[in-house]
Amino acid sequence: MKYGSLILEKKEYVLLKRIMNVSYHLDDPLVRKSINNLNAELQAAIICDDTEVPEDVVRFNSKVIVAWEDWEQDFYVVSPAKSNLAEKRISVMAPMGAALIGYSTGDEVIWDFPNGSKSLLIKGVFQQQVSIDGNIL
């Protein structure tokens, strides 16, 4: 891990914890497992001010490029309310979103997905401008 631990901005950390508390009660065991894994990683996370978060850290609304073997994909990590697969917006509570939040470019992330554990390489992270209503510009 590039920075030794997950890095989260204070307000995003609070939002993430709220989302996790609500989402934990869902019936999907995969979502609950992802939340448990993320919660365990958050215990050692570095929580900092917005200006202290490195540009290459996956945050809410970040565009992320990940690769696995011969597969490469880009998408945005968003709140569950903004999730839309057709627009490549993946919820932070989806296994892929939970696997990546707080990691950075160059990190390799091993996470459990529906078809087994995968080792993903974060090839790029790009911060997006967001409008007042929360839409990615």
Side-chain angles (χ1 to χ4, degrees):
M1 184 180 290
K2 185 176 190 175
Y3 297 109
S5 188
L6 295 185
I7 297 179
L8 293 158
E9 189 272 333
K10 289 176 185 176
K11 291 176 189 169
E12 291 182 344
Y13 173 79
V14 170
L15 176 60
L16 183 59
K17 292 296 275 187
R18 286 182 184 158
I19 293 170
M20 289 170 60
N21 286 336
V22 172
S23 299
Y24 187 76
H25 301 291
L26 297 174
D27 291 331
D28 188 337
L30 188 59
V31 171
R32 283 199 314 270
K33 184 175 182 179
S34 291
I35 292 170
N36 285 336
N37 290 344
L38 179 56
N39 196 41
E41 287 193 311
L42 289 177
Q43 302 302 314
I46 298 167
I47 311 302
C48 53
D49 291 328
D50 183 56
T51 58
E52 298 171 335
V53 179
E55 278 292 312
D56 68 340
V57 169
V58 179
R59 302 175 65 171
F60 282 88
N61 302 311
S62 293
K63 181 177 183 180
V64 184
I65 301 170
V66 296
W68 172 67
E69 294 180 358
D70 62 346
W71 173 85
E72 186 173 301
Q73 185 67 46
D74 65 288
F75 53 86
Y76 300 93
V77 177
V78 298
S79 67
K82 299 289 183 189
S83 179
N84 182 327
L85 292 179
E87 296 177 2
K88 295 184 174 185
R89 296 177 187 212
I90 297 179
S91 169
V92 70
M93 288 296 99
M96 179 76 78
L100 298 172
I101 194 80
Y103 281 89
S104 61
T105 302
D107 283 344
E108 195 166 311
V109 181
I110 299 172
W111 206 263
D112 294 325
F113 292 94
N115 55 351
S117 287
K118 303 258 186 279
S119 178
L120 303 172
L121 174 64
I122 301 173
K123 294 187 81 175
V125 177
F126 305 92
Q127 304 309 328
Q128 305 300 307
Q129 291 184 332
V130 180
S131 67
I132 287 177
D133 61 357
N135 290 319
I136 298 168
L137 300 175

